Amino acid sequence: MQKLYDSNMQLIGYSKAGTDGRINVYDSDYKLLGYYVPSSDKTYDSNRKLVGKGNLTAGFLGVTVVAQ
């Protein structure tokens, strides 16, 4: 399990990759926020509702990712 920090080095959550490649994202209290399935290239929330195409898991933690 990988710890995830914000820009102030505050723990904001965890990321864990399963054997099937699925990436689960948890908040700092280990509550599942959502997951990414690489084989379908789709991200789902904790209720298994489709969020979108691609790895959008950073959004569950309130982090903005900018592609360069």
Side-chain angles (χ1 to χ4, degrees), residues 14-62:
Y14 301 90
S15 175
K16 182 178 181 185
T19 56
D20 59 355
R22 178 173 136 168
I23 300 170
N24 295 321
V25 176
Y26 304 87
D27 67 11
S28 59
D29 294 323
Y30 298 106
K31 178 183 171 196
L32 179 65
L33 299 174
Y35 58 93
Y36 169 67
V37 182
S39 61
S40 64
D41 194 30
K42 294 179 181 172
T43 300
Y44 298 86
D45 67 13
S46 61
N47 296 314
R48 293 187 240 167
K49 180 180 175 189
L50 178 64
V51 173
K53 188 169 175 58
N55 186 346
L56 306 173
T57 54
F60 293 126
L61 297 168

